[in-house]
Amino acid sequence: KDFEGRTAFVTGGANGVGIGIVRNLLNAGVKVAIADIRQDAIDKALASLDNREVMGVQLDVADRAGYKAAADKVEAEFGPVSMLFNNAGINLFQTIEDSSYDDWDWVMGVNLNGVINGVATFAPRMKDRALSGEVKGGQIVNTASMAAFIAGPVPGIYNTAKFAVRGLSYSLRYSMAKYGIGVSMVCPGLVKSHIYASDDVRPEALKGEMQAVDEKAVERLAGLHEFGMEPDVIGERILEGIRNNQMHIFPHPEHKDEVRELAEEVLEDFHDYPEDPGYEKRIGFENMR
Ligand code: NAI
């Protein structure tokens, strides 16, 4: 697939995974909008890119009205967006039983509603343009995580949001296929990024009920992320996955065995009850979808 001349909208594009996607898109001749909540990070990214075909737009992906305004602004300048990267995300290392409504609203607001808002804003536009023939094809790429498959006691809300992004991605892939638009989900392991500093972008309005930020834990996470995959490498693997219109893009082969073990554990939970021989035939699994 040749991406040249397309316009991409990359949320959380100023850092980490996002900036890796941005650089690889620019190298492929794509016009790119970096949508990020941090204006200083956008400015820094733009200065480092030194490319005319890139613009910045400040956006909190959890803000629906703001999302539409950002989309309109980008399309007025760079033309129709046909590559959407729902990548912005934050993390909160807490168990579910220790989380407040403010914690839930923040993490689900960015990591799930942010993806929903991206899809609600752009998927209808992409569909209409495909139907009218104005723009052919396109791709929606959601950054989930290995945490969309493997859950632990922490980060509980993050796991919840990423599992939901996985469900959304599967369903959207079925429905958008008939318009020639692909949907992929990226499931990274550790990446060199700033996600450990998520508390810095937590909105004041959602700080009412929260545990004190554990600076030691943040420092430890910052150190851990230094060992992660380089943004440019993950960006390259993501573009390769899109070229093949892969459903799952797993940039870290190191996690393959975990998924295999999970699949085996799930299958083990099916009991050996006697099967109703006519069940599948009468219902037809296709009719359930
Ligand atoms: P990062 O913190 O380096 O970059 C995320 C960017 O999103 C930042 O520039 C931040 O300003 C922006 N952002 C945060 N909240 C936002 C909001 N409400 N609206 C718009 N922009 C916002 O983090 P990273 O690691 O690059 O994260 C990108 C995605 O990758 C996330 O969805 C994350 O869950 C996922 N991921 C990251 C992994 C890692 O090890 N770093 C592993 C697996 C998944």
Side-chain angles (χ1 to χ4, degrees):
K1 267 194 208 170
D2 193 2
F3 304 138
E4 197 162 351
R6 288 190 179 276
T7 299
F9 190 96
V10 185
T11 70
N15 277 304
V17 178
I19 192 81
I21 294 171
V22 168
R23 283 199 208 107
N24 276 276
L25 287 171
L26 289 171
N27 288 342
V30 177
K31 289 177 276 183
V32 181
I34 297 178
D36 203 288
I37 198 169
R38 289 182 167 105
Q39 185 62 50
D40 58 335
I42 294 177
D43 294 341
K44 209 171 142 197
L46 291 178
S48 77
L49 291 165
D50 188 27
N51 185 309
R52 273 190 307 127
E53 303 278 73
V54 59
M55 66 183 282
V57 57
Q58 192 176 15
L59 169 68
D60 176 354
V61 293
D63 169 7
R64 289 180 178 170
Y67 212 122
K68 184 188 178 302
D72 290 346
K73 186 176 169 200
V74 167
E75 294 201 318
E77 213 159 311
F78 274 0
V81 168
S82 62
M83 300 179 86
L84 168 65
F85 293 83
N86 290 307
N87 168 77
I90 43 123
N91 209 342
L92 181 62
F93 282 86
Q94 270 175 213
T95 54
I96 285 177
E97 68 276 18
D98 293 326
S99 296
S100 68
Y101 280 126
D102 279 349
D103 295 329
W104 278 101
D105 287 348
W106 179 43
V107 181
M108 296 302 277
V110 178
N111 290 4
L112 176 59
N113 293 348
V115 177
I116 293 172
N117 296 342
V119 167
T121 304
F122 283 112
R125 298 185 192 199
M126 290 167 77
K127 172 189 162 184
D128 289 348
R129 288 168 186 149
L131 287 174
S132 71
E134 189 193 341
V135 181
K136 274 206 172 132
Q139 199 85 15
I140 297 175
V141 184
N142 301 325
T143 306
S145 171
M146 281 314 302
F149 287 87
I150 313 292
V154 291
I157 310 179
Y158 185 88
N159 274 136
T160 308
K162 295 295 186 183
F163 271 64
V165 167
R166 185 171 148 216
L168 181 155
S169 304
Y170 288 167
S171 178
L172 189 66
R173 183 173 166 98
Y174 284 115
S175 61
M176 294 298 274
K178 53 184 169 298
Y179 312 115
I181 294 163
V183 176
S184 301
M185 174 181 66
V186 186
C187 299
L190 204 67
V191 181
K192 207 178 230 182
S193 85
H194 289 77
I195 199 158
Y196 59 83
S198 293
D199 292 303
D200 295 353
V201 289
R202 182 164 174 155
E204 286 302 321
L206 296 178
K207 282 184 178 172
E209 275 181 81
M210 64 179 273
Q211 292 177 15
V213 176
D214 180 348
E215 298 297 345
K216 279 235 161 63
V218 172
E219 218 171 281
R220 199 177 49 78
L221 277 174
L224 194 66
H225 279 278
E226 275 304 303
F227 298 116
M229 183 176 278
E230 289 291 339
D232 285 350
V233 175
I234 191 166
E236 195 183 328
R237 292 182 184 181
I238 291 171
L239 254 64
E240 191 188 343
I242 300 171
R243 283 205 171 85
N244 300 327
N245 189 21
Q246 270 176 238
M247 170 66 233
H248 307 95
I249 301 175
F250 289 114
H252 292 72
E254 297 85 351
H255 289 284
K256 189 171 178 178
D257 283 344
E258 272 181 297
V259 175
R260 196 194 318 277
E261 280 162 27
L262 173 71
E264 279 162 10
E265 276 173 32
V266 171
L267 290 174
E268 271 169 26
D269 281 347
F270 278 88
H271 286 270
D272 287 333
Y273 298 126
E275 279 188 43
D276 168 356
Y279 180 80
E280 190 175 341
K281 203 166 166 212
R282 278 198 313 273
I283 297 169
F285 285 162
E286 282 311 305
N287 297 332
M288 292 168 72
R289 299 209 178 95

